[in-house]
Amino acid sequence: AMKRGFILSSFYFASFVELSQGGSLQVVKFSDRGAVCLDGSDAGFYFGAATSNEHKDDWQIHFKGGGWCAGPEDCLARSRGRLGSSNSWGGTTLASNGIASRDCVINPDFCKFNYVEVEYCDGDSFLGDRAEPVLVGPPGKEDRLYFRGARIVESMVDKLVAKYGLQRAKNVLITGCSAGGLAAILNADVIYDLLRQHGATPQRYKVVSCSGFFPLLPNFLGQTVYGDLIKDLFELSNATTRTRCFQDLAGSDIAWHCNVAQYALSYIQAPIFLVNSAKDSWVSRCTFRALQHRGQDIQAACSAKARPGLTEHYNQFRKLILTNPTVNRPGNGAFVHTCDTHCEGAQPFFNKISLNRVTIQQAISRWWNSINEIAAAHTYAPCSDAQKDCEATCSRAPKHAARPPIDIASSTSNNAAAAADDDDDDDKWSESNSNNNNNNHSNHNTNTNPTTTTNKNHNSNNNSIRSSNNNNNNSSTS
């Protein structure tokens, strides 16, 4: 029987990503394979066709974000809004911004691709696959919750092949922001394998995750807030068995690590580029400074007790990304800055934040157009001490951009902790450049399935970090 009544802090937040200009996208709904939202309504995506004949076989699939739900009651509350139901989705919308923008000034590399914006309505980064609904409520008056995120991904690919010609794809870019950025990581090889099953042989298949690396680090009281959430949601949603990670760890007590980026990355074969702030505003506020942990209200203690540990938290976060073996593998890369932002890769200023005069947009463009180069050539990192203001470009992004409200008591009471952000004096932060390499998967030519390689050692190895400029006086701008 499923556990009921457990409410962890709600990791719900609204979409703060600005919409881009350009032609409107058309909604496409489906329920094939039982692919439905939390409330049982049809899942779906918004589609915009390529805007030039040159790019008719080029595709970008973008996963929208929106946090996670925590426990049956919280997921039930989520199911009554657009993050858990398609009932309120409009017939058309505009694309997200930044790397998902249809504006070629903002996003020159991908603005003319066929574009798919996958609506997020399953509560678990498109990973759940529970056959039977979870019943929530008193006997005889139960509500039903459906965890079918993995089926949404499969059905989406089916639909894009059957109706839109995805099987003819030459270039495919998978992207996502926040919980969608995590979905892009965890579904990277899953989507590639689905394409191959449909006969697709893309010449280039790559993945960009924006703000999708959520570290498994304790909060300021030493509690494993984020880890507890993911572990419980992994069990509640019966998270997918389709990933290589889960196939390796199935049955173990750490199988839930397959839903955590720092571990799951070890199994990812597709070329991948991470865009993340080591001072990510969502992570620092909703995990490190989380206001509630399994019902314990710690709001009053938050600010005073959290502040001394912030610098160490930032540095640990930075190190987890930059020493990850997959990030350091040829063909991969990362842009790790220290601006106080979240989902900056899906914001219009993603072509303004820079490290060593290279913007996020330029870094992604260089990586996209490269062929299996060493990771050091495509890794941009901040100075060694995240407290130092190494560059001035963070001032070009709104302070706390795309920051979610710190209501982590429950999405059923969206008033609890708006004051949690009280005396944040974390002003602009910035950057510098670095990194290294290791092994495998070029995929500018992916005419065979990626080789399955697993890694049971979840401890990050200490790859050397080359810093091109650790001078605190570096004030270069884009």
Side-chain angles (χ1 to χ4, degrees), residues 272 319-334 373-376 379 434-440 461-466:
I272 192 164
K319 184 176 180 180
L320 278 174
I321 298 175
L322 295 177
T323 62
N324 186 280
T326 297
V327 173
N328 287 282
R329 195 172 61 204
N332 297 339
E373 294 179 350
I374 61 172
T379 301
S434 74
N435 222 359
N436 204 299
N437 65 325
N438 201 296
N439 184 17
N440 209 353
N461 61 357
N462 293 320
N463 294 322
S464 61
I465 301 295
R466 173 180 59 80

Side-chain angles (χ1 to χ4, degrees), residues 277 279-281 337 339-344 349 353 397-398 400-401:
S277 172
K279 224 179 144 273
D280 184 283
S281 58
H337 60 94
C339 298
D340 189 17
T341 57
H342 183 71
C343 271
E344 60 282 351
F349 51 83
I353 295 176
H400 305 318

Side-chain angles (χ1 to χ4, degrees), residues 455-475:
N455 184 347
K456 294 186 180 181
N457 181 4
H458 292 316
N459 296 319
S460 297
N461 61 357
N462 293 320
N463 294 322
S464 61
I465 301 295
R466 173 180 59 80
S467 178
S468 64
N469 194 338
N470 284 331
N471 188 332
N472 296 343
N473 295 322
N474 175 13
S475 58

